[in-house]
Amino acid sequence: MRLIQFLDDDGTPNVGQVDDAGLGVRRLAGHRSTYEVARAALARRTTLDAVAEPTGDTIPYARLLADGRVLPPLTHPDPAHCLVTGTGLTHLGSAATRDAMHQKLSGDDNALSDSMRMFKWGVDGGRPTGGQPGAQPEWFFKGDGQIVAAPGAALVMPDFALDGGEEPELVGLYLIGDDGTPHRLGFAIGNEFSDHVTERQNYLYLAHSKLRVCAVGPELRTGALPGHLAGTSRVRRGDTVVWEKPFLTGDANMCHSIANLEYHHFKYAAHRRPGDVHLHFFGTSTLSFADGIKVEPGDRFEIDLPDLGAPLVNPLAVAAAGFAIGGVQPL
């Protein structure tokens, strides 16, 4: 099933199901958000698909997208209760991109950079069997629900940033049940969007580089996900595509299994707070930054992953950070 959240003609939030052809959307009866649908499914001890009941007229999907009325596919009524996080060095091939920022490879294991060493741990032990946890991945925090931009909305880079580059990724969408059990609602396309120039200065700046906006959507896909997912990431400047590259994701193209990544995120009790929503980015191996592309305000990031529905498109913008040194006031 393909779910979206969108604004009605009067601006009222709603939730709808996209048809198999990707052309029309029908509202779900009795619910105004994906969060409500998921809570209802938990209360009835059933699935999202079983709770969803499309009703009413079909709305043209393309019109909703063109009008900027499509929202992120999963939100929390209180954005502070939506945790946005991610894992890196998870995809086969991603090490080459990341290590180019840190230091050149060496045949001597003792000379490996921290990034390459962690990537190697994932290759060697990121897909455990027998129900035991595997190697820990790199993990990072991006922010709460306030930093998630809707499909079509601008990804706003603060004026102190040194860069704002796309990261085409698979995102897991989760709701924590009343008993503290994480429930995966499904998956969506994500643009994790980071400051790669800041990270390149020193890998210990990774945490700073990740504290940026991101985008998720347009759709939430429920049910089992194909192990092999192939998409295309591009940067468009006006009518010109200045960069385009295919990318692979999904469990079959990762050195860590999704189950291992989920375990290492939700093993922390603080990440199992009842009622919370989690948006978790699973990493990438394809960046325009790695190919020397310098993005500019007004450029559009387009991430097309057909198995997850319509492409995710967002322009780049820059805004004043709104805070200066000395801005902290005594009380």
Side-chain angles (χ1 to χ4, degrees), residues 91-156:
H91 280 62
L92 301 172
S94 63
T97 297
R98 291 288 297 278
D99 199 62
M101 304 179 197
H102 305 154
Q103 76 173 60
K104 293 182 179 180
L105 285 171
S106 170
D108 181 0
D109 282 354
N110 292 325
L112 290 178
S113 70
D114 288 338
S115 290
M116 281 305 298
R117 189 174 294 112
M118 181 167 282
F119 182 76
K120 186 175 186 298
W121 291 343
V123 171
D124 293 343
R127 308 188 67 84
T129 58
Q132 296 300 310
Q136 292 189 123
E138 174 191 61
W139 182 95
F140 57 85
F141 171 71
K142 282 195 69 68
D144 63 17
Q146 298 179 86
I147 59 102
V148 182
L155 293 175
V156 180

Side-chain angles (χ1 to χ4, degrees), residues 92-306:
L92 301 172
S94 63
T97 297
R98 291 288 297 278
D99 199 62
M101 304 179 197
H102 305 154
Q103 76 173 60
K104 293 182 179 180
L105 285 171
S106 170
D108 181 0
D109 282 354
N110 292 325
L112 290 178
S113 70
D114 288 338
S115 290
M116 281 305 298
R117 189 174 294 112
M118 181 167 282
F119 182 76
K120 186 175 186 298
W121 291 343
V123 171
D124 293 343
R127 308 188 67 84
T129 58
Q132 296 300 310
Q136 292 189 123
E138 174 191 61
W139 182 95
F140 57 85
F141 171 71
K142 282 195 69 68
D144 63 17
Q146 298 179 86
I147 59 102
V148 182
L155 293 175
V156 180
M157 181 174 71
D159 57 4
F160 62 76
L162 303 180
D163 176 56
E166 87 298 330
E167 294 200 17
E169 303 192 22
L170 184 66
V171 185
L173 291 77
Y174 305 87
L175 172 63
I176 310 302
D178 291 340
D179 63 353
T181 301
H183 296 268
R184 187 195 317 116
L185 280 59
F187 297 92
I189 301 171
N191 184 343
E192 198 252 295
F193 191 71
S194 299
D195 185 340
H196 302 108
V197 173
T198 291
E199 182 190 352
R200 187 178 189 177
Q201 292 177 330
N202 188 299
Y203 76 95
L204 293 177
Y205 278 161
L206 174 73
H208 283 281
S209 75
K210 296 298 185 182
L211 292 174
R212 301 290 187 270
V213 299
C214 61
V216 178
E219 303 174 27
L220 182 161
R221 173 185 165 141
T222 66
L225 191 69
H228 173 79
L229 296 168
T232 303
S233 181
R234 63 181 62 90
V235 177
R236 193 182 298 271
R237 186 168 297 156
D239 295 328
T240 303
V241 175
V242 297
W243 177 85
E244 180 177 88
K245 201 166 191 176
F247 70 95
L248 300 177
T249 187
D251 206 79
N253 296 301
M254 299 164 66
C255 57
H256 287 267
S257 65
I258 288 177
N260 191 53
L261 299 178
E262 289 176 330
Y263 166 75
H264 284 294
H265 177 68
F266 289 112
K267 69 183 181 184
Y268 298 104
H271 295 172
R272 302 194 306 274
R273 186 168 56 185
D276 279 6
V277 160
H278 289 248
L279 307 179
H280 190 74
F281 287 82
F282 287 115
T284 189
S285 61
T286 305
L287 311 172
S288 64
F289 174 80
D291 290 339
I293 299 299
K294 176 67 174 177
V295 294
E296 301 175 359
D299 288 355
R300 294 198 313 279
F301 303 113
E302 301 178 1
I303 302 174
D304 189 3
L305 193 57

Side-chain angles (χ1 to χ4, degrees), residues 3-18:
L3 294 180
I4 65 167
Q5 294 190 127
F6 65 97
L7 298 176
D8 270 333
D9 292 335
D10 61 1
T12 303
N14 222 313
V15 58
Q17 180 176 350
V18 181

